[in-house]
Amino acid sequence: MLDFNIRGENVEVTPAIREYVEKKIQKLERYFTEGANATAHVNLKVYNDKQTKVEVTIPMKNLTLRAEERHSDMYAAVDLIVDKLERQIRKYKTRVNRKSREREGVVAFFQSVEDSNNTQESLDDDQDFNVVRTKQFDLKPMDQEEAILQMNMLGHNFFIFTDAESDGTNIVYKRKDGRYGLIETN
């Protein structure tokens, strides 16, 4: 079951908006197994130029779904967000199913979707080297391809994970040329 945390910035979250957002995003539940619990964090913003921005983040045990969309109509932005999230889920499930044929047990995580810590860390390029944010998270065992997929779905340029085969802590990152790099630890 999806719970909702809906916030509005420069806009009042009316019962009509809340109902529309919940109804649309609940359609994603059909992709999860029974008993999957997650909280959909929805942030609605309206800018001075009447442009709206909708952000949705759904953190789960081994997967974080995230999308954002700008549109002049908030309801249209919600529709576009749901389409983006559905594409992410289908893409991820397709890869997981393909991997599970190669290696058993990979699909099991998708059958136990639960709340979890965000598995991504955000850094700030402050010239004074002041740490402005600290996050703690659990490293999930996975292979390089799964880590790259998770990184891309989060929209980040690096991702830390535990290699399922070597049990080592690794980092995948997106290079300036669009390809990917891997840092392995000893």
Side-chain angles (χ1 to χ4, degrees):
M1 295 295 291
L2 277 175
D3 294 322
F4 291 90
N5 177 6
I6 302 174
R7 287 187 17 204
E9 292 183 29
N10 298 330
V11 64
E12 180 186 349
V13 180
T14 64
I17 292 173
R18 178 176 297 279
E19 182 180 326
Y20 189 81
V21 167
E22 289 180 1
K23 178 182 173 191
K24 288 295 188 171
I25 295 177
Q26 278 178 335
K27 290 181 179 181
L28 299 174
E29 287 183 342
R30 69 176 180 234
Y31 293 102
F32 307 129
T33 58
E34 287 184 34
N37 294 317
T39 300
H41 301 279
V42 182
N43 196 19
L44 310 170
K45 296 180 185 180
V46 176
Y47 297 100
N48 290 339
D49 61 357
K50 303 299 181 202
Q51 187 82 352
T52 64
K53 179 178 177 183
V54 178
E55 301 172 348
V56 177
T57 305
I58 306 173
M60 296 177 288
K61 185 176 180 181
N62 291 302
L63 172 69
T64 298
L65 298 171
R66 185 180 185 290
E68 64 181 62
E69 191 66 49
R70 285 181 179 252
H71 200 279
S72 58
D73 177 16
M74 185 174 301
Y75 292 97
V78 170
D79 292 341
L80 292 169
I81 285 268
V82 171
D83 291 342
K84 276 186 177 181
L85 292 171
E86 281 184 322
R87 282 193 304 272
Q88 284 182 11
I89 292 169
R90 283 194 303 267
K91 179 180 177 182
Y92 197 75
K93 275 195 147 187
T94 299
R95 288 195 178 182
V96 168
N97 287 335
R98 183 178 37 131
K99 282 293 218 182
S100 71
R101 286 191 297 269
E102 298 169 7
R103 186 186 69 192
E104 286 190 18
V106 176
V107 161
F109 85 88
F110 218 89
Q111 296 171 345
S112 61
V113 178
E114 295 175 353
D115 288 337
S116 74
N117 294 333
N118 198 359
T119 58
Q120 196 64 27
E121 190 172 349
S122 176
L123 298 176
D124 186 42
D125 286 333
D126 193 347
Q127 293 299 321
D128 296 333
F129 302 109
N130 292 332
V131 175
V132 296
R133 185 174 181 191
T134 301
K135 290 183 96 173
Q136 295 179 346
F137 53 92
D138 296 323
L139 297 180
K140 305 296 181 193
M142 59 181 72
D143 62 18
Q144 295 170 23
E145 185 176 323
E146 292 171 64
I148 291 170
L149 182 62
Q150 180 73 31
M151 175 183 67
N152 288 337
M153 289 173 60
L154 288 169
H156 293 285
N157 56 7
F158 74 97
F159 187 80
I160 303 170
F161 67 102
T162 299
D163 186 272
E165 289 183 24
S166 69
D167 204 36
T169 301
N170 293 348
I171 302 169
V172 291
Y173 62 95
K174 191 162 197 161
R175 297 167 39 100
K176 290 180 182 176
D177 63 7
R179 296 185 299 178
Y180 300 98
L182 173 69
I183 299 172
E184 298 176 319
T185 60
N186 293 331

